[in-house]
Amino acid sequence: MKSISLYEEKASFVHDVDPITKLWYIPFAILIPIILPSFTISFLFIGLSLVLLLGAKVIRKTIPVFGFVFLILITVVLIQGMFKPENETVLFQIGPLTMYKEGLLFALTITLRVINIICAFMILVLTTKPSDLVEALVRKGMSPRIGYVIVSVFQIIPEMMATMSTITDAQRARGMETEGKLLVRIKAFIPLLGPVVLGSLINTKERAMALEVRGFNSQAPKTYLYEEKTYQFSKVLQIGMLLLTMAAVSWRIFL
Amino acid sequence: MIKIANLSFSYNKETRVLSGINLEFDRRSTAIIGQNGAGKTTLVKLMKGLLKADEGKILIHEHDVSGKTAAQLARTIGLVFQNPNDQIFKRTVLDEVMFGPLNIKMDKQTAKEKAIEALKMVELDDKLEMNPHDLSLSEKKLLCIASVVAMDTDIIIFDEPTIAQDHGGKEKIRQIIQALKDKNKLVMTIIHDMDFVAENFERTIVFNDGQVLLDGETRDVFSQKELLKTACVEAPGITKLAERLGFKDTVLTVDEFINMKKTYSPPQ
Ligand SMILES: Nc1ncnc2c1ncn2[C@@H]1O[C@H](COP(=O)(O)OP(=O)(O)OP(=O)(O)O)[C@@H](O)[C@H]1O
Ligand SMILES: [Mg+2]
């Protein structure tokens, strides 16, 4: 079955880092450029994230994501560059279009922020198995029920897709046209919805029973299937990030 | 009726599921046997147009399968899925069985008649309004059989029809297969129940590791003890008993055994 998680199994020092530290990295990398709003800092963090993504050998997987994001950012640059109310200084003209400095600088800030946020999230998402992250959170005290719900979300969509193709096969096998023109496809799709939803409800009921008979609701403390992923420098990194954030705050306040 | 030439297929690049299959089917009823994972289900899905071959050709009634959609093929070839839960998706037993006939442009009246007739054969005609998901596994399997039989196709393939069936259920399936043979249809069955094979099918094809290992009259196939072993299948108990007792001919059924026994004198 296909997985919807973007996680890529590789051996790298980024993969070795425990999920919680990578989770910490996200607010760290997002907050500091906000606390210290300079282009240098933003570039620094984007650079750092990109180096980590490169080191994790997952940079290729980021390309489609960035492709999509750039498409949106280009419209931001164009609109801000031309129409931002504060626009005064003309930078250049292409035909009838005039680009202003103020708008472009503002667009650049937004662009850097967005890229920075996406990079930080991507490090976590691409190098951490969702179940590892959830298990680490449960170890930290999150309720196993919530953990289970999160993990289920990662399973239910591919499961629904599999159910859909199963039912499509059942329909085609008995003479219902599902291939070809768009109209035919749509016509075939609508009667799918009922069985797919019904099917997942039945699955849910059966899964609840399966969980129940295997003691999911037991009050005893749970043990874990996987060994806890530990990383020797996780404390150092976490404390380091915290200190740097505090340093950034005091820099901002006192200097 | 069906001609398969040099057929190969794989689900993913790493492993080939079927390679270089050449087969021809006439109207003889045919059993397809072989160990789990040998590629039997994959082969029939290819014939049905649910999967597309990587290489090779399948001709049904001289028409190339690759040029038709599965829905078009459904008029000529019916398939009862291995797992009934994969096949059932309507909300009542009657709707489920009428779905196929209505799709191949039977009018509502005829479709209903055919559906009820098929449901009578599997003795589910008293449960027309029930939700199929509330049926037992064996009943679901029978329902799937009925919903394909109702389409009255020229070729009909069963993928393990006897799973979960008690003696009565098997007897119903036997009668259905016989009725279809009497109507001169090509009946093909994937099956692990060797007694059922020996008693009901003229021809047997043994699959092993994505290839045809043996193909011939059922009697001849079951006499090839060594080859059967490589495919992890066994001749029926009665066949093995007769062989151990030193009978010259391959025995397929208990009746045959008894008849032979009358004329047989044990070696001294
Ligand atoms: N959808 C699929 N994707 C990938 N591999 C598959 C898929 N379906 C089947 N396979 C693999 O293809 C091989 C042949 O499967 P197939 O279902 O055709 O075997 P079979 O002979 O019908 O076995 P059984 O007697 O267990 O029904 C198996 O190794 C199986 O794991
Ligand atoms: Mg199978």
Side-chain angles (χ1 to χ4, degrees):
Chain A
M1 192 161 56
K2 265 198 232 128
S3 158
I4 51 160
S5 128
L6 295 170
Y7 168 68
E8 214 174 341
E9 181 119 32
K10 288 252 167 81
S12 83
F13 66 94
V14 186
H15 284 77
D16 290 342
V17 178
D18 63 291
I20 301 289
T21 306
K22 282 185 267 190
L23 195 62
W24 272 111
Y25 179 77
I26 297 175
F28 170 69
I30 294 174
L31 280 179
I32 295 211
I34 293 176
I35 299 169
L36 302 174
S38 91
F39 285 138
T40 327
I41 299 280
S42 289
F43 276 118
L44 213 67
F45 270 90
I46 291 176
L48 175 63
S49 296
L50 285 177
V51 167
L52 291 175
L53 286 168
L54 269 173
K57 299 175 230 165
V58 292
I59 201 86
R60 289 189 60 191
K61 270 236 171 170
T62 64
I63 293 171
V65 180
F66 279 124
F68 177 71
V69 170
F70 276 129
L71 210 69
I72 294 169
L73 288 176
I74 284 172
T75 52
V76 173
V77 170
L78 286 178
I79 290 173
Q80 298 293 345
M82 292 187 289
F83 306 119
K84 192 169 166 39
E86 290 85 36
N87 278 346
E88 277 177 4
T89 331
V90 174
L91 214 57
F92 57 85
Q93 273 186 314
I94 319 169
L97 304 176
T98 318
M99 292 302 243
Y100 295 90
K101 185 177 160 199
E102 291 78 8
L104 282 181
L105 279 178
F106 182 69
L108 182 63
T109 319
I110 294 184
T111 307
L112 290 177
R113 287 266 154 84
V114 170
I115 294 178
N116 186 29
I117 292 172
I118 286 174
C119 282
F121 269 102
M122 247 167 353
I123 292 174
L124 177 74
V125 169
L126 293 179
T127 67
T128 316
K129 225 200 273 175
S131 55
D132 281 352
L133 175 61
V134 170
E135 210 173 286
L137 288 171
V138 172
R139 277 179 212 273
K140 288 264 174 250
M142 189 173 76
S143 130
R145 283 163 186 274
I146 296 180
Y148 181 75
V149 170
I150 298 174
V151 174
S152 305
V153 171
F154 281 93
Q155 290 169 346
I156 204 154
I157 293 172
E159 223 162 73
M160 277 193 162
M161 274 154 63
T163 316
M164 251 193 234
S165 89
T166 307
I167 297 177
T168 313
D169 272 358
Q171 292 176 331
R172 303 198 285 154
R174 277 183 287 150
M176 180 165 161
E177 201 55 79
T178 58
E179 301 157 85
K181 291 207 196 80
L182 187 65
L183 189 69
V184 175
R185 280 161 196 265
I186 292 173
K187 257 190 173 156
F189 181 74
I190 293 165
L192 267 182
L193 294 175
V196 169
V197 173
L198 194 76
S200 31
L201 287 179
I202 292 171
N203 281 345
T204 312
K205 190 179 113 199
E206 296 200 340
R207 192 168 314 159
M209 287 199 280
L211 283 173
E212 187 63 47
V213 296
R214 286 190 267 166
F216 187 69
N217 284 331
S218 144
Q219 295 302 317
K222 294 199 170 18
T223 52
Y224 298 91
L225 179 56
Y226 300 103
E227 195 124 322
E228 183 166 16
K229 192 168 184 173
T230 50
Y231 180 60
Q232 56 186 123
F233 303 119
S234 64
K235 273 282 155 299
V236 179
L237 285 175
Q238 287 172 15
I239 293 172
M241 289 193 285
L242 194 65
L243 287 179
L244 278 173
T245 316
M246 283 176 355
V249 173
S250 27
W251 179 286
R252 179 70 192 265
I253 295 174
F254 300 115
L255 292 171
Chain B
M1 289 174 84
I2 305 181
K3 216 182 255 175
I4 299 176
N6 192 28
L7 181 77
S8 295
F9 179 83
S10 49
Y11 287 101
N12 47 42
K13 283 183 210 92
E14 292 101 62
T15 43
R16 206 159 228 211
V17 177
L18 293 175
S19 49
I21 307 275
N22 289 295
L23 278 174
E24 245 178 81
F25 294 92
D26 42 39
R27 297 214 176 248
R28 273 181 300 166
S29 58
T30 303
I32 299 175
I33 62 176
Q35 61 185 300
N36 294 125
K40 307 177 297 293
T41 300
T42 308
L43 175 77
V44 297
K45 282 193 176 169
L46 281 159
M47 290 195 235
K48 188 86 182 89
L50 293 173
L51 298 171
K52 294 280 173 227
D54 299 337
E55 262 173 62
K57 251 193 189 151
I58 302 176
L59 301 180
I60 293 183
H61 290 317
E62 309 294 323
H63 294 293
D64 194 336
V65 165
S66 65
K68 297 195 169 201
T69 65
Q72 287 165 334
L73 286 167
R75 290 158 184 273
T76 8
I77 178 165
L79 169 66
V80 179
F81 287 18
Q82 180 162 3
N83 180 354
N85 295 327
D86 288 350
Q87 191 183 325
I88 294 169
F89 59 91
K90 285 285 185 185
R91 242 162 278 168
T92 70
V93 167
L94 183 62
D95 280 351
E96 183 66 40
V97 184
M98 280 175 67
F99 178 82
L102 286 176
N103 271 318
I104 55 173
K105 306 284 178 293
M106 267 188 219
D107 64 83
K108 211 160 178 181
Q109 198 49 44
T110 330
K112 193 164 178 180
E113 277 163 23
K114 289 265 181 203
I116 290 179
E117 189 188 325
L119 282 167
K120 274 214 176 90
M121 286 169 106
V122 296
E123 291 172 26
L124 284 174
D125 54 319
D126 53 342
K127 301 192 167 157
L128 296 184
E129 293 307 319
M130 234 172 116
N131 188 320
H133 289 286
D134 295 334
L135 296 174
S136 72
L137 177 61
S138 59
E139 286 172 323
K140 280 188 200 175
K141 194 80 203 188
L142 291 171
L143 169 63
C144 290
I145 293 175
S147 50
V148 174
V149 168
M151 292 176 74
D152 202 18
T153 50
D154 209 17
I155 302 163
I156 186 160
I157 306 173
F158 299 96
D159 198 342
E160 300 196 20
T162 52
I163 44 170
Q165 299 297 337
D166 58 14
H167 182 72
K170 275 192 206 169
E171 194 50 47
K172 278 177 225 164
I173 294 169
R174 186 196 312 278
Q175 282 165 11
I176 290 171
I177 290 177
Q178 192 54 50
L180 293 169
K181 281 201 271 186
D182 291 344
K183 283 195 196 164
N184 205 22
K185 295 181 187 297
L186 165 57
V187 183
M188 228 186 276
T189 303
I190 296 173
I191 191 160
H192 289 290
D193 179 339
M194 295 305 145
D195 291 320
F196 199 85
V197 174
E199 285 159 26
N200 295 289
F201 295 91
E202 299 154 71
R203 176 186 181 188
T204 297
I205 300 172
V206 185
F207 264 79
N208 184 39
D209 218 359
Q211 281 170 321
V212 176
L213 182 74
L214 273 172
D215 175 10
E217 298 283 322
T218 301
R219 194 177 303 279
D220 298 338
V221 168
F222 279 136
S223 64
Q224 313 262 347
K225 217 171 59 170
E226 293 306 315
L227 277 176
L228 289 178
K229 213 180 262 168
T230 46
C232 291
V233 288
E234 269 189 327
I238 198 74
T239 311
K240 286 195 291 184
L241 178 64
E243 200 237 25
R244 289 274 195 87
L245 287 173
F247 283 24
K248 278 198 312 295
D249 300 319
T250 305
V251 169
L252 289 181
T253 63
V254 174
D255 289 340
E256 279 181 19
F257 185 90
I258 301 217
N259 281 336
M260 290 263 209
K261 185 91 178 59
K262 287 176 190 151
T263 58
Y264 159 82
S265 53
Q268 297 307 310

